[in-house]
């Protein structure tokens, strides 16, 4: 889809005809590509229109139904993301192929503008000289290029309409939702898998985003519109196959789940390193660090001899481990608990 516009330069001059021919070919190629993608774009727009037509009450009822199917009698404690909302979120932005096509549209538009520049100069000169024959000929070519621009700009209409409709309905839905109160409710039994992660999201969805922070959304019902923090789950099973510890944590100080140790533990050492955005800070509040340090402190509190303690520890992390947490789990942990078996699972 990425089309290139070729300029042929000779003694500082760019032949007008070659430039117009190249621009015209770009337009034709772009229209051909659009024709190939059109059925896919129409289907996506159709889906968004169907999802957007689902009312708020119906969405709430569907969420309750899915929660009951997924979590049984505890379903009232959860609020899953239903198909219509998930679909609107997915198609509220461009897919990779749509981004590439839009880039091609912009490149083609620039090429046509370049082709129009010398024609515009020639038209101005013909007007000054009152040369009607040149005006008629150049004007016709100029109009053809202008119509081509309108043609290529219209190629993105299906995608643009879909994105507009999806975002409009999402804004309406989110403004109508109210904060869920989960006071007194406790999230337990989160398996160290993507399903465990889904369970965490379902539990905190629509809760107070200021109180239960997952990112930079700081108020109103939690919609996970800007998740920046990592989510991690730790499970420990003894030699008898019994789960002796299960917990989850969200990176950051004062976030949902495991809070780590108070006062700070002495078995592991975190370091300062950069996150995905290039910001560097001490990783003592990383989800993975809080979980393993808290678990070891529970063993110490129970007077367990760490050097002979055996179990299977499974860490699931939504994001790849940073340099600090990698050192904690792959180097320091074996010094603290030399007899345990460790499995690390990363979702992304």
């Amino acid at each position: 889809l990425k089309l290139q516009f070729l300029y042929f330069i000779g003694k500082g001059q760019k032949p007008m005809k070659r430039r117009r021919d190249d621009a015209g070919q770009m337009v034709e190629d772009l229209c051909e590509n659009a024709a190939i993608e059109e059925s896919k774009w129409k289907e996506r727009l159709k889906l968004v229109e169907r999802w957007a037509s689902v009312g708020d009450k119906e969405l709430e009822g569907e969420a309750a139904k899915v929660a009951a199917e997924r979590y049984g009698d505890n379903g009232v404690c959860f609020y899953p993301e239903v198909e219509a909302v998930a679909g609107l979120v997915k198609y509220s932005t461009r897919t990779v192929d749509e981004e590439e096509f839009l880039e091609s549209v912009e490149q083609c538009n620039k090429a046509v503008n370049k082709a129009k520049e010398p024609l515009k100069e020639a038209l101005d000169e013909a007007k000054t000289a009152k040369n009607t024959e040149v005006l008629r000929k150049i004007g016709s070519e100029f109009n053809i290029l202008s119509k081509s621009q309108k043609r290529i700009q219209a190629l993105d209409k299906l995608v643009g309409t879909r994105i507009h409709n999806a975002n409009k309905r999402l804004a309406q839905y989110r403004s109508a939702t109210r904060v869920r109160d989960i006071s007194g409710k406790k999230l337990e039994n989160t398996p160290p898998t993507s399903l465990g992660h889904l369970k965490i999201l379902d539990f905190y969805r629509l809760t107070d985003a200021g109180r239960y922070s997952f990112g930079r959304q700081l108020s109103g019902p939690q919609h996970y519109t800007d998740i920046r923090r990592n989510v991690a789950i730790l499970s420990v099973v003894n030699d008898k196959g019994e789960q002796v510890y299960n917990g989850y944590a969200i990176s950051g100080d004062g976030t949902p789940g495991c809070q780590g140790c108070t006062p700070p533990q002495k078995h592991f050492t975190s370091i300062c390193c950069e996150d995905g955005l290039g910001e560097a800070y001490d990783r003592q509040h990383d989800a993975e660090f809080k979980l393993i340090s808290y678990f070891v402190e529970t063993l110490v509190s129970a007077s367990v001899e760490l050097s002979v303690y055996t179990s299977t520890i499974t860490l699931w992390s939504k994001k790849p481990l940073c340099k600090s947490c990698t050192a904690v789990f792959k180097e320091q942990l074996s010094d603290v608990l030399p007899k345990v078996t460790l499995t690390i699972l990363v979702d992304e």
Side-chain angles (χ1 to χ4, degrees):
L1 291 176
K2 293 184 177 179
L3 307 175
Q4 299 295 322
F5 183 70
L6 303 178
Y7 294 94
F8 292 84
I9 303 176
K11 297 181 180 181
Q13 303 252 334
K14 300 177 181 179
M16 287 192 296
K17 184 177 186 306
R18 184 55 183 267
R19 185 182 294 179
R20 293 196 301 274
D21 289 346
D22 288 345
Q25 186 60 53
M26 286 185 71
V27 173
E28 293 304 317
D29 290 345
L30 197 61
C31 290
E32 183 178 333
N33 286 327
I36 295 172
E37 300 292 322
E38 186 177 15
S39 61
K40 184 192 303 181
W41 294 340
K42 284 184 176 180
E43 181 60 29
R44 290 172 180 171
L45 176 57
K46 187 177 179 180
L47 284 171
V48 165
E49 290 173 343
R50 175 165 64 82
W51 290 328
S53 67
V54 181
D56 293 339
K57 287 293 184 182
E58 190 175 347
L59 291 174
E60 186 176 347
E62 182 64 19
K65 179 182 177 182
V66 174
E69 293 173 350
R70 193 174 290 173
Y71 305 111
D73 293 339
N74 291 325
V76 292
C77 299
F78 299 88
Y79 200 99
E81 184 176 58
V82 299
E83 179 192 21
V85 176
L88 289 171
V89 170
K90 178 181 179 180
Y91 288 134
S92 63
T93 57
R94 294 179 184 275
T95 62
V96 173
D97 60 305
E98 290 167 353
E99 286 284 2
E100 291 179 347
F101 184 82
L102 180 61
E103 183 180 344
S104 296
V105 168
E106 293 171 349
Q107 289 178 353
C108 188
N109 192 52
K110 289 179 182 179
V112 174
N113 277 331
K114 283 290 184 181
K116 288 170 68 176
E117 287 176 2
L119 293 178
K120 181 67 168 59
E121 294 175 3
L123 282 173
D124 291 340
E125 292 175 0
K127 287 178 181 178
T128 301
K130 298 181 179 179
N131 189 329
T132 56
E133 183 178 350
V134 173
L135 280 173
R136 187 166 50 251
K137 181 180 179 181
I138 301 298
S140 176
E141 294 185 20
F142 187 87
N143 289 336
I144 290 174
L145 289 176
S146 295
K147 290 179 180 178
S148 294
Q149 280 187 304
K150 293 181 179 179
R151 184 182 175 191
I152 61 176
Q153 289 166 359
L155 296 177
D156 193 52
K157 185 177 181 180
L158 288 172
V159 176
T161 300
R162 186 202 78 219
I163 293 173
H164 171 78
N165 291 350
N167 280 292
K168 181 180 179 180
R169 180 64 184 101
L170 282 173
Q172 293 172 342
Y173 163 70
R174 288 168 179 165
S175 66
T177 55
R178 297 293 178 264
V179 172
R180 290 176 57 236
D181 183 13
I182 57 172
S183 300
K185 299 174 182 177
K186 189 176 181 180
L187 178 58
E188 298 178 318
N189 300 320
T190 52
T193 63
S194 57
L195 289 178
H197 176 249
L198 177 64
K199 188 175 184 178
I200 294 170
L201 297 185
D202 287 350
F203 183 75
Y204 287 102
R205 184 173 286 105
L206 301 190
T207 60
D208 185 351
R211 182 178 179 183
Y212 306 106
S213 177
F214 280 76
R216 294 188 296 193
Q217 183 189 343
L218 302 177
S219 63
Q222 178 65 264
H223 290 289
Y224 306 117
T225 55
D226 190 18
I227 295 181
R228 295 292 180 181
R229 306 183 188 278
N230 188 32
V231 179
I233 303 170
L234 191 75
S235 175
V236 183
V237 177
N238 64 19
D239 294 338
K240 297 179 181 180
E242 301 167 334
Q243 183 168 267
V244 295
Y245 177 77
N246 175 238
Y248 67 93
I250 314 300
S251 292
D253 188 13
T255 53
C258 177
Q259 298 297 306
C261 298
T262 306
Q265 53 76 51
K266 60 183 178 181
H267 300 287
F268 303 104
T269 302
S270 61
I271 62 173
C272 181
C273 61
E274 292 185 351
D275 61 13
L277 299 176
E279 183 180 356
Y281 48 88
D282 191 304
R283 294 311 188 97
Q284 62 179 322
H285 295 301
D286 275 15
E288 308 95 303
F289 187 85
K290 291 192 291 185
L291 285 166
I292 193 62
S293 60
Y294 177 79
F295 170 65
V296 170
E297 282 302 304
T298 64
L299 296 179
V300 173
S301 298
S303 300
V304 173
E305 182 61 44
L306 301 184
S307 62
V308 296
Y309 177 75
T310 59
S311 66
T312 298
I313 297 177
T314 301
L315 171 72
W316 183 95
S317 177
K318 177 64 178 175
K319 298 181 179 181
L321 275 63
C322 67
K323 183 178 180 180
S324 177
C325 290
T326 297
V328 167
F329 277 88
K330 294 188 177 182
E331 299 172 15
Q332 299 176 33
L333 182 59
S334 61
D335 293 331
V336 178
L337 298 173
K339 300 294 185 179
V340 302
T341 299
L342 173 67
T343 299
I344 298 177
L345 306 172
V346 178
D347 188 60
E348 294 182 357

